Amino acid sequence: MKCYELQGPNGIDGLALVDKPVPEPGEGQVLVRLKAATLNYRDLLTVKGGYGSRQKFPLVPVSDGAGVVERVGPGVREFAAGDRVIGSFFESWLSGEPSADKMSRALGGSVDGVLTQYRIFPRHALVRTPEHLSDIEAAALPCAGVTAWSAVVKFGGIRPGQIVLTQGTGGVSLFAIQFAKMCGARVIATSSSDAKIERVKQLGADFTLNYKATPDWGKKAREWSGQGVDLVVEVGGVGTLNESIRAVRIGGTIAFIGVLAGPPPSDSRLPLMVMQQQRLQGVTVGSVEDLQAMAEATAVHKMKPVIDRTFAFDQAKQAFSHMESGTHFGKVAIAID
């Protein structure tokens, strides 16, 4: 089989296409023939060595993949050859609260990922692919989809009529818009591109802001919403946290996910967060149970992930470069088979 491998934090050019034998599934294991993968910003950081001591080398990168069961090992009754499946981001986090042990096996980081033609999964880490989704679409679910689900549904507890603010047009943010609308919420979406703003309107965004043209977007979002928004899906990190705090209502929540916007400003508004009893909730993907719940909701509502562009397997480096450019709208995909 062919797979991509990193020998060290050598950047996109360090991705090497190598040959390895197809592994055999053991007790309780499933051999999956990967059909598709999608990229997250975390995958780009991993290729560049941004995960430090948590990374192993050599490493097969990328966490999010979907495929078809090739064969199963002894004791596996849940799956059979031909079943379409997706793998959980954390292989050992089945349900409940996170822990160091549960989060110790993260695909494409501490263990090999899915940028390969075949991979062994433990049976408990697989979820059936929703029937209405293609393999490319299903491959968008494990990281970005579950992260947005955790932010909006699991921790945000969003209900009809509430207001969610999203940042940018990456995978997590677009999923967050879709899940918020699924819950009956109104959405404020921000972007630096007027062209992308027109596209998020088509996804259902009720109010939009160009954060370059409107640097005080948090204040504007608060004015539009009245008393402030119920939830901010914060993918920028400390660089955008001040405006998120300004946007959130008293008692509201900031789901803190990303690190995209650089260093924190000098005029921190953290004291305002205290005075308004806001909640800062860290979100790191979720469990197999969360993936299952999200997949079921996606199937009921026939919701489809937004795919920006699909690259061939031998174009994996171009896929990473395209993501690095920041011009994408939604998920960047790689067709493996």
Side-chain angles (χ1 to χ4, degrees):
M1 71 176 190
K2 292 188 179 298
C3 69
Y4 281 92
E5 197 171 75
L6 287 166
Q7 299 299 325
N10 302 319
I12 295 172
D13 289 336
L15 279 169
L17 188 59
V18 300
D19 283 304
K20 289 184 176 181
V22 176
E24 280 295 325
E27 180 78 27
Q29 295 181 329
V30 179
L31 176 65
V32 175
R33 176 162 52 94
L34 276 306
K35 306 283 282 185
T38 64
L39 302 182
N40 297 289
Y41 183 70
R42 174 255 197 188
D43 298 316
L44 189 59
L45 283 180
T46 300
V47 167
K48 293 182 173 182
Y51 264 55
S53 61
R54 288 178 289 177
Q55 270 180 240
K56 74 172 203 68
F57 295 108
L59 173 72
V60 177
V62 184
S63 62
D64 289 13
V68 177
V69 173
E70 184 77 3
R71 54 184 173 271
V72 301
V76 177
R77 302 285 184 270
E78 301 90 336
F79 300 100
D83 288 344
R84 299 174 63 226
V85 292
I86 48 181
S88 181
F89 182 94
F90 290 114
E91 286 189 329
S92 300
W93 185 5
L94 275 64
S95 62
E97 295 294 317
S99 68
D101 285 343
K102 290 178 179 179
M103 300 174 77
S104 63
R105 293 182 61 81
L107 271 62
S110 55
V111 299
D112 281 339
V114 299
L115 204 53
T116 177
Q117 291 179 317
Y118 292 90
R119 188 185 189 278
I120 295 286
F121 289 85
R123 62 185 176 188
H124 59 254
L126 292 172
V127 167
R128 293 182 186 278
T129 297
E131 291 183 3
H132 74 291
L133 296 181
S134 68
D135 293 316
I136 291 288
E137 292 164 338
L141 299 180
C143 181
V146 175
T147 299
W149 175 266
S150 295
V152 174
V153 179
K154 183 178 179 180
F155 295 121
I158 290 301
R159 303 184 302 277
Q162 291 190 312
I163 301 175
V164 176
L165 186 147
T166 65
Q167 299 172 344
T169 55
V172 171
S173 298
L174 297 188
F175 268 119
I177 293 172
Q178 291 174 294
F179 289 138
K181 300 305 293 185
M182 183 187 296
C183 294
R186 291 181 289 166
V187 173
I188 300 173
T190 69
S191 173
S192 62
S193 164
D194 288 337
K196 290 181 177 181
I197 280 175
E198 289 305 310
R199 296 184 69 181
V200 295
K201 288 179 181 177
Q202 296 172 16
L203 276 181
D206 300 276
F207 183 66
T208 56
L209 288 162
N210 185 315
Y211 60 78
K212 284 190 175 179
T214 311
D216 59 344
W217 52 265
K219 178 182 177 182
K220 297 298 183 183
R222 192 179 189 93
E223 290 173 354
W224 181 84
S225 59
Q227 301 300 315
V229 306
D230 298 281
L231 172 72
V232 173
V233 180
E234 172 60 80
V235 300
V238 291
T240 51
L241 186 57
N242 271 359
E243 289 304 310
S244 293
I245 293 172
R246 293 179 78 180
V248 174
R249 66 169 172 83
I250 294 173
T253 300
I254 298 173
F256 198 78
I257 296 164
V259 291
L260 304 180
S266 57
D267 57 336
S268 173
R269 295 185 182 273
L270 285 175
L272 182 61
M273 174 175 279
V274 176
M275 290 186 290
Q276 297 194 142
Q277 201 167 313
Q278 296 168 344
R279 179 163 60 108
L280 185 64
Q281 173 67 57
V283 180
T284 304
V285 198
S287 65
V288 179
E289 183 179 72
D290 296 325
L291 175 61
Q292 181 69 57
M294 182 214 59
E296 290 174 359
T298 299
V300 168
H301 292 271
K302 296 295 188 288
M303 194 195 91
K304 291 202 169 192
V306 178
I307 305 299
D308 173 79
R309 185 176 168 187
T310 301
F311 291 81
F313 191 51
D314 61 2
Q315 296 176 314
K317 292 182 181 180
Q318 292 96 309
F320 275 94
S321 296
H322 179 60
M323 184 174 191
E324 187 177 34
S325 73
T327 59
H328 59 289
F329 183 92
K331 298 292 292 180
V332 178
I334 298 171
I336 297 174
D337 184 6

